[in-house]
Every structure is written in structure tokens, then in C-alpha cells.
Amino acid sequence: MFRILLRICATLALVWTTSRIAASALPISPGDIGTRDGIQYWNSLQLLLSGENPYDPQAVLDLEATIGGYKNQPTMSRNPPWVAVFLSPIFWGSFSQAMWAWRLAQLILVVVIWRLVVPSHASREQKIVSGIALAAFYPLLDSFHSGQFGILLALGITLIIRQRQLSFSLMSTTALVICLSKPHLFLPLFGYLVFDKSKILITAACVCVAASLASFGLEPLLFWIESIRAPLHPELITRVVEFRSDSLCSWTRGVLSDWGFGESSWLMLVFACASLLSGYVVKKRSKDFECDAPTLVLLGLLLTPYGWMSDYTILVPLIIGPKAHLELATQRLKVIALCVTSAGGAAVFGSAAHACAWVLVPLCRLLRIA
């Protein structure tokens, strides 16, 4: 454990030093690569440190105006305040420094995921194919380009699929703390743990809440709960329940709503309940957690009440992991075809491919990747 902490501190020191040098030579402004969503994490931390409400559009607008941000459209964060606590080592400092640090951190995370997921005894072909898959997987590229933390979520899934069960350990707790950054994506996993009567989820939730209370007090948690009650999509100033993103669940909700099956707000609740219950179904038919984990990840993406294309980055540990059987030449071809097609389609067809990329989830199942 001491060695791990030492490596983390050394890596952070390298990121801080490099980002400050890079920010001085090549400053980053709002609108550059990685800032579309990355700016919201910086906003949240700065406002929380100054004692303001990070979920207040006007406060965000005033802060963004100081860095030449989006003058009429604040980039709001709907993430819980403990996300700012855990990302603070990266987003400390000026906007340009933070964005450079976030770019570097994401690249390092990709390498860490590759090292953790690909077996050390893997053949050279398997390692090369895994690297190509990472470089070509469209949701991962989208996450990096937008500055979203899909790659960080993928690290959480990586830590999960490396375990035979989620027991009390540093790795398990860290994995669930990462998943609690976007809890709506992992409702099947949470439902699975609840029906398994596991206490590790409660432990991780307590760590998150305690970190938030110790760092910023009670108010930010109350502000966050209030923001969930009447959420807005930042760019379009549209309620989240009415917005159709590039995820399968959002598309399905829109179709069902158009067909008269209920308002989006109720459909979101239906999807959330179905997602939780799917964890119970998996648990009832469970063989072992090692086999169940990939299924829970896919169910989370299929049934989440809301999601973005960058969220599909959590598929990365599955498509290059042991369950993908990349030691077989036929499986390597399938995985490469999946990743290259997703990236190539987006490059050639633009938004049309982007909007249809949710088929990656059932494709992963059909190709027996998970």
C-alpha cells in the first residue's frame, strides 16, 4: 500500500510540474480540446473553495466570465460535491493549468487501465491489439475530447472486474467511490450488492459523504440534492428528463414518450427501478461475481435513466479484458473491427454515427466480450 501511495504522489507531482510548464507555453482557453465538460469540474472546485453554490447558474456564469468562458450559457455540474474533493489534486490552480493536468491525467489513466487489464503474460499480438483498441474506441476518444471523466469511470470498472468479489479492501472501496461519482450508471451493480447484503457499498458512500462534509461542510450536499430535484441541461437550458442524448436509454425514453407511454420524468423513474431490479435478477442467477460484473456494467448502460456517449468508455476494460479472449486471433479481429468501426463511422458520418453508437452495448454481448 505504501508503494502505491508513493507512486500516486510521484505521478501527481509529475502532472503538476508538467501542466504548469505547458500552461505557461501553450495556455488553454474555454472551447479548446478537453474543456467542454472539463470546465465544469474546475468551476465546481473553485466555487466550493470560495464558499459559493456550484449548482447556481449565475455563480457559474460569473466565474466563467473571468476566464473568457461561455458568456450566456453556464457549464453546470450535476455531479455530487465529493467529485470535486477527489478531483481537487488535478483541478487545483488556474484554469489553463487544470485543463493541462486533466489531459495528462487522462492519458496516464489509459495506460494504467491497459496495464491492469491486459495480463502480464499476454502475447505481443494481444498487447498490440489492446493498445489499438484503446486508441480507436470512439467513446474513449469522445471522453478525452470533451474532458468528461469517462476514463476515470473506466478505471473504477477495471478495479471491479479484477476481483472475484467486492469485499472490504482498498481496491473495492476505491472502485465503488469512483462509481458513486455517477451513481445512475451503476444502479444494477448497487442493486446486486444490496441484495447480496454486502456492506461495502455503504462503506464507500460513507467515505464520499464524509470527504464532502470534511472538505466543504453540509451546504454543498443540500445544494446538490436541490439541483437533482429540478435539473437543467447546461447548453440547451432544457430539463434533463426532456433531453435526448446519445445513449440508448435516452433514445428509448424519447420513443416511448412520443408513443404516449408517459412523461419523461416518470419514464426516468421506471428505468431507474428497472436498472436496480436487474441487479437483483443477476444476483438470483449468479454463479460468481467475476462472471456477473461485465453483465452488470452492460445492464447499467442499457437501463441508466440518463447518459452520454462518453459514459460508454466504461466498456473499455471489457473489450480488452480477460473475458474478451484476445489470445484468440478471431476475437482480436472482432474487437479491432468493433473499435475501428466506431471511430471510423464517427469520422465519416459525424453526428449520425454518434447518435447510433449505443449499439456498442449489444454488440459487446453478441461478440461474447462480456
PDB file of all heavy atoms in Angstrom, residues 338-351:
ATOM      1  N   LEU A 338     -14.754  -3.813 -34.087  1.00  0.00           N
ATOM      2  CA  LEU A 338     -15.695  -3.047 -33.271  1.00  0.00           C
ATOM      3  C   LEU A 338     -15.183  -1.642 -32.998  1.00  0.00           C
ATOM      4  O   LEU A 338     -15.903  -0.645 -33.182  1.00  0.00           O
ATOM      5  CB  LEU A 338     -15.932  -3.785 -31.945  1.00  0.00           C
ATOM      6  CG  LEU A 338     -16.763  -3.061 -30.888  1.00  0.00           C
ATOM      7  CD1 LEU A 338     -18.214  -2.993 -31.320  1.00  0.00           C
ATOM      8  CD2 LEU A 338     -16.649  -3.762 -29.542  1.00  0.00           C
ATOM      9  N   CYS A 339     -13.923  -1.539 -32.572  1.00  0.00           N
ATOM     10  CA  CYS A 339     -13.355  -0.240 -32.196  1.00  0.00           C
ATOM     11  C   CYS A 339     -13.091   0.658 -33.407  1.00  0.00           C
ATOM     12  O   CYS A 339     -13.421   1.844 -33.397  1.00  0.00           O
ATOM     13  CB  CYS A 339     -12.059  -0.452 -31.415  1.00  0.00           C
ATOM     14  SG  CYS A 339     -12.301  -1.291 -29.847  1.00  0.00           S
ATOM     15  N   VAL A 340     -12.526   0.080 -34.450  1.00  0.00           N
ATOM     16  CA  VAL A 340     -12.217   0.868 -35.650  1.00  0.00           C
ATOM     17  C   VAL A 340     -13.502   1.329 -36.325  1.00  0.00           C
ATOM     18  O   VAL A 340     -13.581   2.465 -36.814  1.00  0.00           O
ATOM     19  CB  VAL A 340     -11.349   0.049 -36.627  1.00  0.00           C
ATOM     20  CG1 VAL A 340     -11.199   0.778 -37.957  1.00  0.00           C
ATOM     21  CG2 VAL A 340      -9.975  -0.213 -36.011  1.00  0.00           C
ATOM     22  N   THR A 341     -14.522   0.474 -36.331  1.00  0.00           N
ATOM     23  CA  THR A 341     -15.799   0.860 -36.935  1.00  0.00           C
ATOM     24  C   THR A 341     -16.428   2.020 -36.184  1.00  0.00           C
ATOM     25  O   THR A 341     -16.979   2.948 -36.780  1.00  0.00           O
ATOM     26  CB  THR A 341     -16.777  -0.335 -36.950  1.00  0.00           C
ATOM     27  OG1 THR A 341     -16.202  -1.394 -37.704  1.00  0.00           O
ATOM     28  CG2 THR A 341     -18.108   0.059 -37.565  1.00  0.00           C
ATOM     29  N   SER A 342     -16.355   1.991 -34.843  1.00  0.00           N
ATOM     30  CA  SER A 342     -16.945   3.077 -34.052  1.00  0.00           C
ATOM     31  C   SER A 342     -16.244   4.398 -34.318  1.00  0.00           C
ATOM     32  O   SER A 342     -16.883   5.439 -34.481  1.00  0.00           O
ATOM     33  CB  SER A 342     -16.899   2.738 -32.560  1.00  0.00           C
ATOM     34  OG  SER A 342     -15.578   2.804 -32.053  1.00  0.00           O
ATOM     35  N   ALA A 343     -14.909   4.374 -34.391  1.00  0.00           N
ATOM     36  CA  ALA A 343     -14.158   5.599 -34.646  1.00  0.00           C
ATOM     37  C   ALA A 343     -14.295   6.036 -36.100  1.00  0.00           C
ATOM     38  O   ALA A 343     -14.493   7.216 -36.391  1.00  0.00           O
ATOM     39  CB  ALA A 343     -12.685   5.386 -34.302  1.00  0.00           C
ATOM     40  N   GLY A 344     -14.206   5.070 -37.041  1.00  0.00           N
ATOM     41  CA  GLY A 344     -14.313   5.399 -38.457  1.00  0.00           C
ATOM     42  C   GLY A 344     -15.688   5.916 -38.822  1.00  0.00           C
ATOM     43  O   GLY A 344     -15.821   6.861 -39.604  1.00  0.00           O
ATOM     44  N   GLY A 345     -16.720   5.300 -38.236  1.00  0.00           N
ATOM     45  CA  GLY A 345     -18.081   5.763 -38.507  1.00  0.00           C
ATOM     46  C   GLY A 345     -18.300   7.188 -38.055  1.00  0.00           C
ATOM     47  O   GLY A 345     -18.935   7.998 -38.745  1.00  0.00           O
ATOM     48  N   ALA A 346     -17.755   7.522 -36.883  1.00  0.00           N
ATOM     49  CA  ALA A 346     -17.897   8.885 -36.374  1.00  0.00           C
ATOM     50  C   ALA A 346     -17.161   9.883 -37.265  1.00  0.00           C
ATOM     51  O   ALA A 346     -17.630  10.998 -37.501  1.00  0.00           O
ATOM     52  CB  ALA A 346     -17.367   8.969 -34.953  1.00  0.00           C
ATOM     53  N   ALA A 347     -15.995   9.470 -37.776  1.00  0.00           N
ATOM     54  CA  ALA A 347     -15.206  10.365 -38.631  1.00  0.00           C
ATOM     55  C   ALA A 347     -15.880  10.593 -39.977  1.00  0.00           C
ATOM     56  O   ALA A 347     -15.861  11.700 -40.519  1.00  0.00           O
ATOM     57  CB  ALA A 347     -13.806   9.770 -38.841  1.00  0.00           C
ATOM     58  N   VAL A 348     -16.510   9.542 -40.515  1.00  0.00           N
ATOM     59  CA  VAL A 348     -17.104   9.635 -41.851  1.00  0.00           C
ATOM     60  C   VAL A 348     -18.524  10.205 -41.810  1.00  0.00           C
ATOM     61  O   VAL A 348     -18.888  11.075 -42.604  1.00  0.00           O
ATOM     62  CB  VAL A 348     -17.122   8.247 -42.530  1.00  0.00           C
ATOM     63  CG1 VAL A 348     -17.857   8.310 -43.879  1.00  0.00           C
ATOM     64  CG2 VAL A 348     -15.707   7.736 -42.720  1.00  0.00           C
ATOM     65  N   PHE A 349     -19.321   9.724 -40.849  1.00  0.00           N
ATOM     66  CA  PHE A 349     -20.730  10.088 -40.827  1.00  0.00           C
ATOM     67  C   PHE A 349     -21.089  11.134 -39.768  1.00  0.00           C
ATOM     68  O   PHE A 349     -22.224  11.567 -39.686  1.00  0.00           O
ATOM     69  CB  PHE A 349     -21.596   8.843 -40.613  1.00  0.00           C
ATOM     70  CG  PHE A 349     -21.439   7.816 -41.692  1.00  0.00           C
ATOM     71  CD1 PHE A 349     -20.746   6.644 -41.436  1.00  0.00           C
ATOM     72  CD2 PHE A 349     -21.944   8.029 -42.952  1.00  0.00           C
ATOM     73  CE1 PHE A 349     -20.593   5.685 -42.425  1.00  0.00           C
ATOM     74  CE2 PHE A 349     -21.790   7.078 -43.953  1.00  0.00           C
ATOM     75  CZ  PHE A 349     -21.109   5.903 -43.688  1.00  0.00           C
ATOM     76  N   GLY A 350     -20.130  11.489 -38.944  1.00  0.00           N
ATOM     77  CA  GLY A 350     -20.361  12.549 -37.965  1.00  0.00           C
ATOM     78  C   GLY A 350     -21.443  12.219 -36.971  1.00  0.00           C
ATOM     79  O   GLY A 350     -21.461  11.150 -36.370  1.00  0.00           O
ATOM     80  N   SER A 351     -22.399  13.137 -36.805  1.00  0.00           N
ATOM     81  CA  SER A 351     -23.417  13.006 -35.765  1.00  0.00           C
ATOM     82  C   SER A 351     -24.307  11.788 -35.965  1.00  0.00           C
ATOM     83  O   SER A 351     -24.840  11.242 -35.002  1.00  0.00           O
ATOM     84  CB  SER A 351     -24.285  14.268 -35.721  1.00  0.00           C
ATOM     85  OG  SER A 351     -24.922  14.468 -36.974  1.00  0.00           O
TER      86      SER A 351
END
